[in-house]
């Protein structure tokens, strides 16, 4: 979702809304800052079409943007559906369809939708596999007035039929494909997987919150949603809610604007299992962070299970309030590391079986050797190769695969160092804590290592002086300039610093 900055008129609007709707209790009088508005999209004021009529208008446009055989293969069986949160979902028959469209035709799909929708709304479209029973449930729900629906309304029959289960997944916002059975376990994720299973089975009752962290595409969302599914499978009436941190922020701001904070709080503070994805986006959002802090405490008081995912450990989330960080660390923290070669091959073989395609083992090994950074990218590469093979347009060999995946292989080979990489590597080299890179302690050893890290950040990344200073604990650009000049002079003088810089640069290039 594209972010929009608030203006002075937004602030006036919020203050007026507070006066009109919010209680006079000091704790409830909010004054939102600009950062709290960063992820809020503009309101959609246009009259909505029905999903089927909208798709009927989009199809002719889409056919002009893609070849006829492409449309027939990937879009002919697609259906458009409207979510309660205002986003559009294009449902497709299989995971292969979903991955292929997301990888190759999202620009064309969004362009076609923009002819009928506002551009901001069109860019929010999601592509996913949606079972027919889930679609029916959604369409039945849409006929009910919003104010008469409750987030946690139970399905009339308690028997765990598949249709009922899919309905519950829909209400919990969980994707059916993200199950424990479809998650490939290996050395890089077995502890995280075991922890999630323990929580789902009620064994790890002290693992609260469960904090899952790892890089993009490592399977955090898959594991968290699998845990939610297991709760619903074993305890059908369990009130499970999954959402992203972005969604929590947007709904909170909207609740303030509309004077509906009580409804917002009841919605999430009555959950029995709350799963929040990408919690790192709370950084710098003071009022949203304050609201989540109280939601977190309320749920713990009720002994509800909380699962959080992040792209880094809680202690490394910059500009995150200390009280939030300590609470995130109070339960069990587990990490998802990049998979080994053997595990990447196993992932490809499992996906190949699920998609009912046959790719030679030597080609799978070749892909696994070249694509190392992300499981998501690994699967995307397989989708492309499997689709080419299924179309029968030519023989499949290593040179052909190199051509098909040229862009992915190029991206994998051109390693990009970021400030986080530099801080970790420098802290390890000087035997310091990572927190020392951003902290305020100034012993000579720490200050020197911090200056070296700032110098490398300036040399090896495209970040501005201001961005580098912000990444090192909110220091100003003048501090960065001083550090860069000092280390540069030491390097030119031929001191031991030059050897350290050369060693660190080599390590970073190979990371």
């Amino acid at each position: 979702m594209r972010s929009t900055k608030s203006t002075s008129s937004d602030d006036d609007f919020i203050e007026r809304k507070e006066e009109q709707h919010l209680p006079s209790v000091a704790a409830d009088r909010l004054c939102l800052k600009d950062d709290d508005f960063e992820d809020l999209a503009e309101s959609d004021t246009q009259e909505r079409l029905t999903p089927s009529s909208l798709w009927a208008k989009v199809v002719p446009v889409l056919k002009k943007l893609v070849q006829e055989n492409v449309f027939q293969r990937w879009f002919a069986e697609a259906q458009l559906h409207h979510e309660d949160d205002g986003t559009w979902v294009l449902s497709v028959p299989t995971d292969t369809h979903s991955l292929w469209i997301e990888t190759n035709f999202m620009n064309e799909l969004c362009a076609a939708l923009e002819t009928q929708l506002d551009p901001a709304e069109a860019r929010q479209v999601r592509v996913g596999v949606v079972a027919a029973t889930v679609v029916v449930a959604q369409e039945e729900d849409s006929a009910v007035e919003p104010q008469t629906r409750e987030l946690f309304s139970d399905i009339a029959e308690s028997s765990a039929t598949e249709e009922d289960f899919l309905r519950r997944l829909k209400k919990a916002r969980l994707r059916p494909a993200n199950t424990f059975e479809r998650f490939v376990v290996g050395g890089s994720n077995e502890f995280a997987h075991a922890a999630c299973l323990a929580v789902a089975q009620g064994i790890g009752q002290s693992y609260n919150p469960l904090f899952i962290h790892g890089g993009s595409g490592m399977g955090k969302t898959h594991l968290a949603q699998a845990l939610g599914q297991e709760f619903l499978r074993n305890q059908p009436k369990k009130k499970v809610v999954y959402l992203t941190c972005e969604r929590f922020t947007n709904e909170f701001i909207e609740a303030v604007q509309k004077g509906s904070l009580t409804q917002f709080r009841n919605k999430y503070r009555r959950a029995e299992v709350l799963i929040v994805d990408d919690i790192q986006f709370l950084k710098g959002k003071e009022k949203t962070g304050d609201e989540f802090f109280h939601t977190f405490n309320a749920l713990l008081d009720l002994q509800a299970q909380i699962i959080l995912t992040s792209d880094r450990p809680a202690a490394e989330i910059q500009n995150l309030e200390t009280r939030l960080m300590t609470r995130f660390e109070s339960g069990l923290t587990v990490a998802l590391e990049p998979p080994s070669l053997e595990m990447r091959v196993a992932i490809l073989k499992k996906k190949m079986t699920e998609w009912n395609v046959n790719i030679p083992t030597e080609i799978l090994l070749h892909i696994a050797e070249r694509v190392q950074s992300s499981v998501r990218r690994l699967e995307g590469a397989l989708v492309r190769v499997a689709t080419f093979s299924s179309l029968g347009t030519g023989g499949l060999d290593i040179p052909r695969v190199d051509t098909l995946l040229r862009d992915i292989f190029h991206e994998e080979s051109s390693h990009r160092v970021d400030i986080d990489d530099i801080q970790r590597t420098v802290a390890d080299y000087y035997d310091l804590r990572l927190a020392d890179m951003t902290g305020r302690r100034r012993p000579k050893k720490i200050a020197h290592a911090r200056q070296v890290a700032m110098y490398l950040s300036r040399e090896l990344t495209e970040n501005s002086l201001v961005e580098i200073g912000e990444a090192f604990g909110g220091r100003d650009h003048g501090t960065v300039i001083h550090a860069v000049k000092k280390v540069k002079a030491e390097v030119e003088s031929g001191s031991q610093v030059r050897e350290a810089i050369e060693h660190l640069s080599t390590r970073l290039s190979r990371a």
Side-chain angles (χ1 to χ4, degrees):
M1 186 179 294
R2 299 300 176 98
S3 61
T4 56
K5 294 286 185 180
S6 64
T7 64
S8 58
S9 61
D10 291 326
D11 295 331
D12 295 338
F13 173 78
I14 293 301
E15 290 173 3
R16 290 198 303 272
K17 287 297 182 184
E18 289 173 356
E19 294 171 0
Q20 295 170 7
H21 297 286
L22 296 183
S24 58
V25 181
D28 281 337
R29 293 193 67 81
L30 305 176
C31 182
L32 299 185
K33 295 187 174 183
D34 285 347
D35 286 343
D36 288 304
F37 280 96
E38 287 185 351
D39 295 314
L40 182 62
E42 296 178 354
S43 297
D44 178 20
T45 59
Q46 71 179 46
E47 183 179 353
R48 293 192 181 279
L49 298 164
T50 63
S52 57
S53 63
L54 174 60
W55 184 240
K57 292 184 177 183
V58 169
V59 165
V61 181
L62 185 59
K63 284 184 175 180
K64 295 178 181 179
L65 299 176
V66 300
Q67 296 178 1
E68 178 63 25
N69 65 328
V70 169
F71 180 87
Q72 291 301 326
R73 184 169 184 83
W74 302 113
F75 293 97
E77 298 180 62
Q79 298 179 38
L80 194 64
H81 307 284
H82 196 238
E83 297 278 86
D84 290 339
D85 63 358
T87 59
W88 296 91
V89 178
L90 187 71
S91 67
V92 290
T94 68
D95 279 330
T96 306
H97 284 75
S98 177
L99 284 169
W100 187 253
I101 292 173
E102 287 180 336
T103 304
N104 298 283
F105 298 114
M106 281 304 292
N107 289 338
E108 290 81 357
L109 177 59
C110 290
L113 282 164
E114 283 180 15
T115 63
Q116 306 297 327
L117 299 171
D118 288 338
E121 186 178 17
R123 286 190 292 269
Q124 294 174 33
V125 70
R126 295 186 289 110
V127 182
V129 181
V130 181
T133 51
V134 177
V135 174
V136 170
Q138 178 182 1
E139 291 173 349
E140 289 175 352
D141 285 346
S142 66
V144 182
E145 289 297 322
Q147 58 267 30
T148 65
R149 294 200 305 261
E150 296 181 4
L151 178 65
F152 304 125
S153 58
D154 295 321
I155 305 300
E157 298 179 4
S158 59
S159 59
T161 64
E162 193 63 23
E163 181 176 344
D164 285 343
F165 180 64
L166 290 172
R167 287 172 183 266
R168 294 188 183 98
L169 291 186
K170 181 66 180 177
K171 287 187 177 294
R173 304 168 188 153
L174 299 174
R175 187 179 179 185
N178 289 335
T179 64
F180 281 123
E181 291 74 20
R182 301 181 72 171
F183 188 83
V184 179
V185 182
S188 64
N189 61 24
E190 58 185 351
F191 178 48
H193 178 264
C196 288
L197 275 177
V199 170
Q201 295 167 1
I203 301 172
Q205 295 180 358
S206 61
Y207 304 160
N208 203 13
L210 177 62
F211 191 95
I212 307 169
H213 70 87
S216 177
M218 289 296 131
K220 302 184 298 294
T221 299
H222 188 140
L223 260 188
Q225 290 207 6
L227 202 164
Q229 284 203 47
E230 200 69 12
F231 272 118
L232 285 177
R233 180 78 71 180
N234 298 330
Q235 304 175 63
K237 293 188 177 182
K238 201 81 168 177
K239 298 172 183 176
V240 178
V241 177
Y242 165 88
L243 77 162
T244 63
C245 183
E246 176 189 38
R247 180 168 185 150
F248 183 89
T249 301
N250 291 347
E251 291 190 12
F252 168 60
I253 297 171
E254 185 178 6
V256 174
Q257 291 176 329
K258 294 182 176 180
S260 56
L261 270 174
T262 300
Q263 181 182 355
F264 170 81
R265 287 166 179 165
N266 289 339
K267 183 177 182 179
Y268 292 114
R269 296 186 187 185
R270 293 179 180 177
E272 295 175 274
V273 178
L274 180 67
I275 306 169
V276 183
D277 217 347
D278 291 326
I279 198 66
Q280 72 272 8
F281 289 119
L282 271 186
K283 63 180 181 181
K285 293 181 172 61
E286 181 180 341
K287 294 303 178 183
T288 306
D290 187 59
E291 180 65 25
F292 188 79
F293 172 80
H294 292 297
T295 298
F296 185 99
N297 287 341
L299 290 174
L300 284 189
D301 289 343
L302 295 172
Q303 297 184 323
Q305 177 67 50
I306 302 172
I307 300 101
L308 307 173
T309 77
S310 171
D311 65 354
R312 65 198 66 192
E316 297 178 22
I317 302 176
Q318 297 170 10
N319 300 323
L320 182 69
E321 289 187 67
T322 302
R323 61 178 181 169
L324 284 172
M325 180 191 71
T326 55
R327 277 162 176 76
F328 293 171
E329 293 180 326
S330 64
L332 176 66
T333 297
V334 294
L336 293 175
E337 302 294 341
S340 64
L341 174 62
E342 293 78 7
M343 186 174 170
R344 294 197 298 275
V345 172
I347 291 170
L348 291 175
K349 287 183 176 180
K350 187 173 184 66
K351 287 297 176 184
M352 191 173 67
T353 301
E354 290 176 1
W355 299 341
N356 194 27
V357 295
N358 187 24
I359 305 296
T361 301
E362 61 270 19
I363 289 179
L364 293 181
L365 181 61
H366 182 66
I367 295 172
E369 288 174 340
R370 297 293 299 274
V371 183
Q372 303 177 22
S373 64
S374 164
V375 175
R376 187 180 298 124
R377 179 176 287 176
L378 189 69
E379 292 177 0
L382 180 62
V383 167
R384 195 177 299 184
V385 172
T387 302
F388 177 85
S389 176
S390 66
L391 291 174
T393 54
L396 192 62
D397 52 22
I398 299 296
R400 175 68 72 177
V401 170
D402 287 339
T403 300
L404 288 170
L405 305 180
R406 183 188 296 111
D407 58 327
I408 295 178
F409 288 169
H410 175 73
E411 185 71 19
E412 285 287 318
S413 62
S414 58
H415 176 69
R416 297 176 182 176
V417 177
D418 60 27
I419 295 177
D420 287 343
D421 296 329
I422 293 170
Q423 290 177 339
R424 288 189 182 91
T425 304
V426 172
D428 179 66
Y429 180 79
Y430 286 101
D431 195 24
L432 300 173
R433 297 177 306 141
L434 183 60
D436 290 329
M437 292 290 103
T438 58
R440 292 293 169 182
R441 298 176 60 207
R442 300 185 62 181
K444 185 176 181 180
K445 180 180 179 181
I446 293 176
H448 172 69
R450 192 183 295 135
Q451 289 172 340
V452 168
M454 289 182 181
Y455 171 82
L456 288 170
S457 298
R458 186 61 174 164
E459 292 292 312
L460 301 180
T461 75
E462 297 180 358
N463 293 95
S464 67
L465 292 169
V466 174
E467 290 170 334
I468 294 172
E470 183 65 28
F472 283 85
R475 290 172 166 81
D476 60 48
H477 71 282
T479 302
V480 180
I481 292 174
H482 171 73
V484 171
K485 286 183 177 179
K486 182 179 179 182
V487 175
K488 185 176 182 180
E490 292 174 341
V491 169
E492 291 174 349
S493 68
S495 67
Q496 292 182 340
V497 176
R498 176 190 291 178
E499 294 180 9
I501 294 296
E502 290 176 350
H503 175 79
L504 289 165
S505 298
T506 301
R507 280 181 61 176
L508 287 164
S509 67
R510 294 174 179 173

